[in-house]
Amino acid sequence: ETATAPPRGILIAIEGLDRAGKSTQCALLVERLQQSGHKVRLQKFPDRTTTIGTLINSYLTSATDIDDHTIHLLFSANRWELAHSIRTDIAAGVTVVLDRYMYSGVVFSAAKGLDYEYCRGPEVGLPRPDVIVFMDLDEGEAAKRGGFGEERYEVPEVQRRVREMFRMMRGDERDAGDWGVVDAGAEVGVVAERVWGVVERGVEFARGNELRSIQ
Ligand code: TMP
Ligand code: MG
């Protein structure tokens, strides 16, 4: 008698601007996936708990200044140091929800003026999400939600450029078909339904396909 391997987990990335409600939706999504029988792990990027994450945190809180290229590579290194555990979980049947991923990595650095292809290069080979939920919120709505924190990048001009870069990146044919755009400008429960609609596509995709790598 041979034991049947469990179906693999699903890799789901949640992306969007600051104040789009990513963390709230990630929490609701984890709950809903669990209720429908999935084993789930939430992985936040940047993961500030590692040694590299500590450096990233001190940069974001402006405790230290780090050269643009260097911090870019540290954000990427932070994903690479966790890539193995993501692959291991997916193979073992655990669904992994990513609160931000390499798409934030590319757009935030490219929005500063670094070359897009340079920014994307270090991400090639990382586990590729089965689906990316992009939580979209226009600048006006974002401004109404008020209260930027005090971290680096939490300024309107940076957010505006980041939103443009995200729009450009959603047209990148190397990730074609992965994106589902959700209007994040509604009430929490309504947005959660929309997120679930996109996630179901990822669940469907993962049923018939191996986990891919970023190309
Ligand atoms: P957080 O507020 O979600 O913790 O993210 C911290 C900031 O870091 C946010 O402004 C987005 C930015 N960021 C990058 O610049 N590069 C990256 O690779 C990631 C994951 C986030
Ligand atoms: Mg933040």
Side-chain angles (χ1 to χ4, degrees), residues 18 22 44-46 48 60 75 79 99-101 104-105 108-109 151-154 159:
D18 291 285
K22 286 185 304 302
K44 168 95 188 78
F45 283 113
R48 304 188 195 209
L60 288 170
F75 273 113
R79 282 181 281 281
D99 183 349
R100 293 196 194 272
Y101 196 45
S104 280
F108 277 85
S109 291
E151 292 209 323
R152 209 183 282 260
Y153 304 148
E154 293 182 343
Q159 297 289 318

PDB file of all heavy atoms in Angstrom, residues 18 22 44-46 48 60 75 79 99-101 104-105 108-109 151-154 159, ligand 1:
ATOM      1  N   ASP A  18       0.834  51.119   0.430  1.00  0.00           N
ATOM      2  CA  ASP A  18       0.599  51.285   1.857  1.00  0.00           C
ATOM      3  C   ASP A  18      -0.825  51.795   2.055  1.00  0.00           C
ATOM      4  O   ASP A  18      -1.314  52.605   1.268  1.00  0.00           O
ATOM      5  CB  ASP A  18       1.603  52.294   2.438  1.00  0.00           C
ATOM      6  CG  ASP A  18       3.011  51.745   2.438  1.00  0.00           C
ATOM      7  OD1 ASP A  18       3.305  50.896   3.293  1.00  0.00           O
ATOM      8  OD2 ASP A  18       3.807  52.137   1.564  1.00  0.00           O
ATOM      9  N   LYS A  22      -3.638  45.605   3.114  1.00  0.00           N
ATOM     10  CA  LYS A  22      -3.015  44.288   2.865  1.00  0.00           C
ATOM     11  C   LYS A  22      -2.989  43.385   4.095  1.00  0.00           C
ATOM     12  O   LYS A  22      -3.356  42.223   4.013  1.00  0.00           O
ATOM     13  CB  LYS A  22      -1.572  44.451   2.358  1.00  0.00           C
ATOM     14  CG  LYS A  22      -1.444  44.926   0.931  1.00  0.00           C
ATOM     15  CD  LYS A  22       0.001  44.941   0.488  1.00  0.00           C
ATOM     16  CE  LYS A  22       0.889  45.782   1.379  1.00  0.00           C
ATOM     17  NZ  LYS A  22       0.466  47.201   1.480  1.00  0.00           N
ATOM     18  N   LYS A  44       5.465  37.450   5.947  1.00  0.00           N
ATOM     19  CA  LYS A  44       5.530  38.893   5.663  1.00  0.00           C
ATOM     20  C   LYS A  44       6.894  39.245   5.078  1.00  0.00           C
ATOM     21  O   LYS A  44       7.916  38.762   5.545  1.00  0.00           O
ATOM     22  CB  LYS A  44       5.302  39.620   6.999  1.00  0.00           C
ATOM     23  CG  LYS A  44       5.598  41.098   6.997  1.00  0.00           C
ATOM     24  CD  LYS A  44       4.372  41.918   6.738  1.00  0.00           C
ATOM     25  CE  LYS A  44       4.738  43.390   6.556  1.00  0.00           C
ATOM     26  NZ  LYS A  44       5.287  43.690   5.216  1.00  0.00           N
ATOM     27  N   PHE A  45       6.908  40.082   4.033  1.00  0.00           N
ATOM     28  CA  PHE A  45       8.164  40.657   3.528  1.00  0.00           C
ATOM     29  C   PHE A  45       8.082  42.178   3.552  1.00  0.00           C
ATOM     30  O   PHE A  45       7.056  42.723   3.140  1.00  0.00           O
ATOM     31  CB  PHE A  45       8.449  40.169   2.095  1.00  0.00           C
ATOM     32  CG  PHE A  45       8.969  38.773   2.043  1.00  0.00           C
ATOM     33  CD1 PHE A  45       8.216  37.756   1.488  1.00  0.00           C
ATOM     34  CD2 PHE A  45      10.224  38.473   2.569  1.00  0.00           C
ATOM     35  CE1 PHE A  45       8.691  36.452   1.450  1.00  0.00           C
ATOM     36  CE2 PHE A  45      10.713  37.163   2.534  1.00  0.00           C
ATOM     37  CZ  PHE A  45       9.937  36.154   1.964  1.00  0.00           C
ATOM     38  N   PRO A  46       9.137  42.887   4.004  1.00  0.00           N
ATOM     39  CA  PRO A  46      10.343  42.297   4.549  1.00  0.00           C
ATOM     40  C   PRO A  46      10.050  41.547   5.846  1.00  0.00           C
ATOM     41  O   PRO A  46       9.197  41.966   6.620  1.00  0.00           O
ATOM     42  CB  PRO A  46      11.240  43.518   4.829  1.00  0.00           C
ATOM     43  CG  PRO A  46      10.287  44.650   5.039  1.00  0.00           C
ATOM     44  CD  PRO A  46       9.154  44.364   4.098  1.00  0.00           C
ATOM     45  N   ARG A  48      11.377  41.176   9.165  1.00  0.00           N
ATOM     46  CA  ARG A  48      12.324  41.965   9.953  1.00  0.00           C
ATOM     47  C   ARG A  48      12.960  41.165  11.087  1.00  0.00           C
ATOM     48  O   ARG A  48      13.754  41.704  11.858  1.00  0.00           O
ATOM     49  CB  ARG A  48      11.629  43.221  10.502  1.00  0.00           C
ATOM     50  CG  ARG A  48      10.990  44.067   9.395  1.00  0.00           C
ATOM     51  CD  ARG A  48      10.466  45.400   9.903  1.00  0.00           C
ATOM     52  NE  ARG A  48       9.571  46.027   8.922  1.00  0.00           N
ATOM     53  CZ  ARG A  48       9.397  47.341   8.780  1.00  0.00           C
ATOM     54  NH1 ARG A  48      10.053  48.174   9.555  1.00  0.00           N
ATOM     55  NH2 ARG A  48       8.555  47.811   7.872  1.00  0.00           N
ATOM     56  N   LEU A  60      14.545  51.354   7.094  1.00  0.00           N
ATOM     57  CA  LEU A  60      13.175  51.866   6.912  1.00  0.00           C
ATOM     58  C   LEU A  60      12.791  52.879   7.989  1.00  0.00           C
ATOM     59  O   LEU A  60      12.030  53.808   7.742  1.00  0.00           O
ATOM     60  CB  LEU A  60      12.167  50.714   6.883  1.00  0.00           C
ATOM     61  CG  LEU A  60      12.187  49.853   5.619  1.00  0.00           C
ATOM     62  CD1 LEU A  60      11.319  48.609   5.802  1.00  0.00           C
ATOM     63  CD2 LEU A  60      11.738  50.646   4.390  1.00  0.00           C
ATOM     64  N   PHE A  75      16.928  43.574   0.492  1.00  0.00           N
ATOM     65  CA  PHE A  75      15.520  43.157   0.408  1.00  0.00           C
ATOM     66  C   PHE A  75      15.417  41.824  -0.343  1.00  0.00           C
ATOM     67  O   PHE A  75      14.666  40.931   0.052  1.00  0.00           O
ATOM     68  CB  PHE A  75      14.679  44.216  -0.326  1.00  0.00           C
ATOM     69  CG  PHE A  75      14.128  45.321   0.533  1.00  0.00           C
ATOM     70  CD1 PHE A  75      14.565  46.639   0.381  1.00  0.00           C
ATOM     71  CD2 PHE A  75      13.131  45.075   1.472  1.00  0.00           C
ATOM     72  CE1 PHE A  75      14.030  47.677   1.155  1.00  0.00           C
ATOM     73  CE2 PHE A  75      12.588  46.102   2.247  1.00  0.00           C
ATOM     74  CZ  PHE A  75      13.049  47.407   2.082  1.00  0.00           C
ATOM     75  N   ARG A  79      14.435  37.699   0.864  1.00  0.00           N
ATOM     76  CA  ARG A  79      13.553  36.690   0.255  1.00  0.00           C
ATOM     77  C   ARG A  79      14.298  35.381   0.016  1.00  0.00           C
ATOM     78  O   ARG A  79      13.773  34.295   0.278  1.00  0.00           O
ATOM     79  CB  ARG A  79      12.971  37.229  -1.063  1.00  0.00           C
ATOM     80  CG  ARG A  79      11.829  38.196  -0.832  1.00  0.00           C
ATOM     81  CD  ARG A  79      11.240  38.708  -2.122  1.00  0.00           C
ATOM     82  NE  ARG A  79      12.027  39.765  -2.750  1.00  0.00           N
ATOM     83  CZ  ARG A  79      12.005  41.036  -2.360  1.00  0.00           C
ATOM     84  NH1 ARG A  79      11.271  41.414  -1.355  1.00  0.00           N
ATOM     85  NH2 ARG A  79      12.743  41.942  -2.988  1.00  0.00           N
ATOM     86  N   ASP A  99       2.652  38.462   2.416  1.00  0.00           N
ATOM     87  CA  ASP A  99       2.247  39.858   2.586  1.00  0.00           C
ATOM     88  C   ASP A  99       3.395  40.701   2.036  1.00  0.00           C
ATOM     89  O   ASP A  99       4.369  40.947   2.724  1.00  0.00           O
ATOM     90  CB  ASP A  99       2.002  40.129   4.073  1.00  0.00           C
ATOM     91  CG  ASP A  99       1.497  41.546   4.359  1.00  0.00           C
ATOM     92  OD1 ASP A  99       1.523  42.404   3.452  1.00  0.00           O
ATOM     93  OD2 ASP A  99       1.092  41.795   5.517  1.00  0.00           O
ATOM     94  N   ARG A 100       3.277  41.106   0.768  1.00  0.00           N
ATOM     95  CA  ARG A 100       4.324  41.689  -0.079  1.00  0.00           C
ATOM     96  C   ARG A 100       5.305  40.608  -0.526  1.00  0.00           C
ATOM     97  O   ARG A 100       5.545  39.640   0.184  1.00  0.00           O
ATOM     98  CB  ARG A 100       5.131  42.800   0.598  1.00  0.00           C
ATOM     99  CG  ARG A 100       4.364  44.076   0.896  1.00  0.00           C
ATOM    100  CD  ARG A 100       5.406  45.174   1.175  1.00  0.00           C
ATOM    101  NE  ARG A 100       4.828  46.338   1.787  1.00  0.00           N
ATOM    102  CZ  ARG A 100       4.309  47.352   1.094  1.00  0.00           C
ATOM    103  NH1 ARG A 100       4.303  47.331  -0.212  1.00  0.00           N
ATOM    104  NH2 ARG A 100       3.803  48.393   1.731  1.00  0.00           N
ATOM    105  N   TYR A 101       5.929  40.873  -1.705  1.00  0.00           N
ATOM    106  CA  TYR A 101       6.915  39.919  -2.232  1.00  0.00           C
ATOM    107  C   TYR A 101       7.853  40.661  -3.183  1.00  0.00           C
ATOM    108  O   TYR A 101       8.054  41.875  -3.023  1.00  0.00           O
ATOM    109  CB  TYR A 101       6.169  38.767  -2.922  1.00  0.00           C
ATOM    110  CG  TYR A 101       6.995  37.523  -3.181  1.00  0.00           C
ATOM    111  CD1 TYR A 101       7.835  36.987  -2.203  1.00  0.00           C
ATOM    112  CD2 TYR A 101       6.933  36.861  -4.407  1.00  0.00           C
ATOM    113  CE1 TYR A 101       8.574  35.837  -2.449  1.00  0.00           C
ATOM    114  CE2 TYR A 101       7.662  35.704  -4.663  1.00  0.00           C
ATOM    115  CZ  TYR A 101       8.482  35.195  -3.674  1.00  0.00           C
ATOM    116  OH  TYR A 101       9.208  34.052  -3.920  1.00  0.00           O
ATOM    117  N   SER A 104       6.927  44.232  -4.781  1.00  0.00           N
ATOM    118  CA  SER A 104       7.273  45.418  -3.990  1.00  0.00           C
ATOM    119  C   SER A 104       8.766  45.697  -4.100  1.00  0.00           C
ATOM    120  O   SER A 104       9.190  46.846  -4.198  1.00  0.00           O
ATOM    121  CB  SER A 104       6.921  45.225  -2.510  1.00  0.00           C
ATOM    122  OG  SER A 104       5.552  45.442  -2.265  1.00  0.00           O
ATOM    123  N   GLY A 105       9.553  44.633  -4.077  1.00  0.00           N
ATOM    124  CA  GLY A 105      11.008  44.787  -4.162  1.00  0.00           C
ATOM    125  C   GLY A 105      11.423  45.534  -5.418  1.00  0.00           C
ATOM    126  O   GLY A 105      12.263  46.432  -5.382  1.00  0.00           O
ATOM    127  N   PHE A 108       9.491  49.482  -5.617  1.00  0.00           N
ATOM    128  CA  PHE A 108       9.980  50.531  -4.713  1.00  0.00           C
ATOM    129  C   PHE A 108      11.371  51.001  -5.107  1.00  0.00           C
ATOM    130  O   PHE A 108      11.668  52.196  -5.046  1.00  0.00           O
ATOM    131  CB  PHE A 108       9.940  50.067  -3.245  1.00  0.00           C
ATOM    132  CG  PHE A 108       8.582  50.248  -2.620  1.00  0.00           C
ATOM    133  CD1 PHE A 108       7.594  49.274  -2.760  1.00  0.00           C
ATOM    134  CD2 PHE A 108       8.280  51.393  -1.899  1.00  0.00           C
ATOM    135  CE1 PHE A 108       6.333  49.444  -2.197  1.00  0.00           C
ATOM    136  CE2 PHE A 108       7.020  51.581  -1.333  1.00  0.00           C
ATOM    137  CZ  PHE A 108       6.048  50.605  -1.480  1.00  0.00           C
ATOM    138  N   SER A 109      12.237  50.079  -5.541  1.00  0.00           N
ATOM    139  CA  SER A 109      13.581  50.488  -5.963  1.00  0.00           C
ATOM    140  C   SER A 109      13.540  51.181  -7.321  1.00  0.00           C
ATOM    141  O   SER A 109      14.230  52.181  -7.533  1.00  0.00           O
ATOM    142  CB  SER A 109      14.511  49.272  -6.022  1.00  0.00           C
ATOM    143  OG  SER A 109      14.769  48.781  -4.727  1.00  0.00           O
ATOM    144  N   GLU A 151       7.781  55.898   8.402  1.00  0.00           N
ATOM    145  CA  GLU A 151       8.843  55.175   7.733  1.00  0.00           C
ATOM    146  C   GLU A 151       9.200  55.795   6.387  1.00  0.00           C
ATOM    147  O   GLU A 151       8.392  56.462   5.753  1.00  0.00           O
ATOM    148  CB  GLU A 151       8.434  53.703   7.543  1.00  0.00           C
ATOM    149  CG  GLU A 151       8.337  52.965   8.865  1.00  0.00           C
ATOM    150  CD  GLU A 151       8.623  51.477   8.758  1.00  0.00           C
ATOM    151  OE1 GLU A 151       8.240  50.856   7.762  1.00  0.00           O
ATOM    152  OE2 GLU A 151       9.248  50.952   9.703  1.00  0.00           O
ATOM    153  N   ARG A 152      10.414  55.546   5.984  1.00  0.00           N
ATOM    154  CA  ARG A 152      10.902  55.917   4.668  1.00  0.00           C
ATOM    155  C   ARG A 152       9.897  55.412   3.629  1.00  0.00           C
ATOM    156  O   ARG A 152       9.305  54.341   3.831  1.00  0.00           O
ATOM    157  CB  ARG A 152      12.254  55.210   4.466  1.00  0.00           C
ATOM    158  CG  ARG A 152      13.231  55.925   3.566  1.00  0.00           C
ATOM    159  CD  ARG A 152      14.456  55.066   3.412  1.00  0.00           C
ATOM    160  NE  ARG A 152      15.372  55.116   4.561  1.00  0.00           N
ATOM    161  CZ  ARG A 152      16.487  55.858   4.589  1.00  0.00           C
ATOM    162  NH1 ARG A 152      16.811  56.613   3.571  1.00  0.00           N
ATOM    163  NH2 ARG A 152      17.291  55.822   5.642  1.00  0.00           N
ATOM    164  N   TYR A 153       9.674  56.100   2.570  1.00  0.00           N
ATOM    165  CA  TYR A 153       8.745  55.769   1.473  1.00  0.00           C
ATOM    166  C   TYR A 153       7.299  56.145   1.770  1.00  0.00           C
ATOM    167  O   TYR A 153       6.472  56.113   0.865  1.00  0.00           O
ATOM    168  CB  TYR A 153       8.765  54.279   1.074  1.00  0.00           C
ATOM    169  CG  TYR A 153      10.102  53.706   0.690  1.00  0.00           C
ATOM    170  CD1 TYR A 153      10.406  52.371   0.954  1.00  0.00           C
ATOM    171  CD2 TYR A 153      11.065  54.463   0.024  1.00  0.00           C
ATOM    172  CE1 TYR A 153      11.620  51.810   0.592  1.00  0.00           C
ATOM    173  CE2 TYR A 153      12.290  53.900  -0.335  1.00  0.00           C
ATOM    174  CZ  TYR A 153      12.568  52.583  -0.036  1.00  0.00           C
ATOM    175  OH  TYR A 153      13.765  52.022  -0.381  1.00  0.00           O
ATOM    176  N   GLU A 154       6.978  56.458   3.019  1.00  0.00           N
ATOM    177  CA  GLU A 154       5.582  56.767   3.337  1.00  0.00           C
ATOM    178  C   GLU A 154       5.299  58.251   3.088  1.00  0.00           C
ATOM    179  O   GLU A 154       4.878  58.989   3.983  1.00  0.00           O
ATOM    180  CB  GLU A 154       5.254  56.345   4.776  1.00  0.00           C
ATOM    181  CG  GLU A 154       5.289  54.838   4.946  1.00  0.00           C
ATOM    182  CD  GLU A 154       4.916  54.372   6.336  1.00  0.00           C
ATOM    183  OE1 GLU A 154       4.931  55.181   7.275  1.00  0.00           O
ATOM    184  OE2 GLU A 154       4.611  53.170   6.478  1.00  0.00           O
ATOM    185  N   GLN A 159       4.652  57.215  -3.130  1.00  0.00           N
ATOM    186  CA  GLN A 159       3.513  56.308  -3.324  1.00  0.00           C
ATOM    187  C   GLN A 159       2.933  56.444  -4.732  1.00  0.00           C
ATOM    188  O   GLN A 159       2.529  55.470  -5.347  1.00  0.00           O
ATOM    189  CB  GLN A 159       2.422  56.586  -2.277  1.00  0.00           C
ATOM    190  CG  GLN A 159       2.868  56.342  -0.836  1.00  0.00           C
ATOM    191  CD  GLN A 159       3.060  54.865  -0.503  1.00  0.00           C
ATOM    192  OE1 GLN A 159       2.253  54.021  -0.890  1.00  0.00           O
ATOM    193  NE2 GLN A 159       4.141  54.545   0.201  1.00  0.00           N
TER     194      GLN A 159
HETATM  195  P1  TMP B   1       5.894  47.061   5.214  1.00  0.00           P
HETATM  196  O1  TMP B   1       5.338  48.397   5.648  1.00  0.00           O
HETATM  197  O2  TMP B   1       4.925  46.225   4.477  1.00  0.00           O
HETATM  198  O3  TMP B   1       6.598  46.344   6.336  1.00  0.00           O
HETATM  199  O4  TMP B   1       7.028  47.374   4.127  1.00  0.00           O
HETATM  200  C1  TMP B   1       8.059  48.240   4.440  1.00  0.00           C
HETATM  201  C2  TMP B   1       8.437  49.096   3.275  1.00  0.00           C
HETATM  202  O5  TMP B   1       9.452  48.445   2.485  1.00  0.00           O
HETATM  203  C3  TMP B   1       7.319  49.456   2.322  1.00  0.00           C
HETATM  204  O6  TMP B   1       7.372  50.871   2.083  1.00  0.00           O
HETATM  205  C4  TMP B   1       7.652  48.716   1.051  1.00  0.00           C
HETATM  206  C5  TMP B   1       9.148  48.577   1.097  1.00  0.00           C
HETATM  207  N1  TMP B   1       9.708  47.405   0.432  1.00  0.00           N
HETATM  208  C6  TMP B   1      10.794  47.566  -0.431  1.00  0.00           C
HETATM  209  O7  TMP B   1      11.237  48.685  -0.671  1.00  0.00           O
HETATM  210  N2  TMP B   1      11.356  46.457  -0.993  1.00  0.00           N
HETATM  211  C7  TMP B   1      10.896  45.188  -0.733  1.00  0.00           C
HETATM  212  O8  TMP B   1      11.443  44.217  -1.267  1.00  0.00           O
HETATM  213  C8  TMP B   1       9.776  45.038   0.155  1.00  0.00           C
HETATM  214  C9  TMP B   1       9.258  43.667   0.462  1.00  0.00           C
HETATM  215  C10 TMP B   1       9.213  46.169   0.711  1.00  0.00           C
END
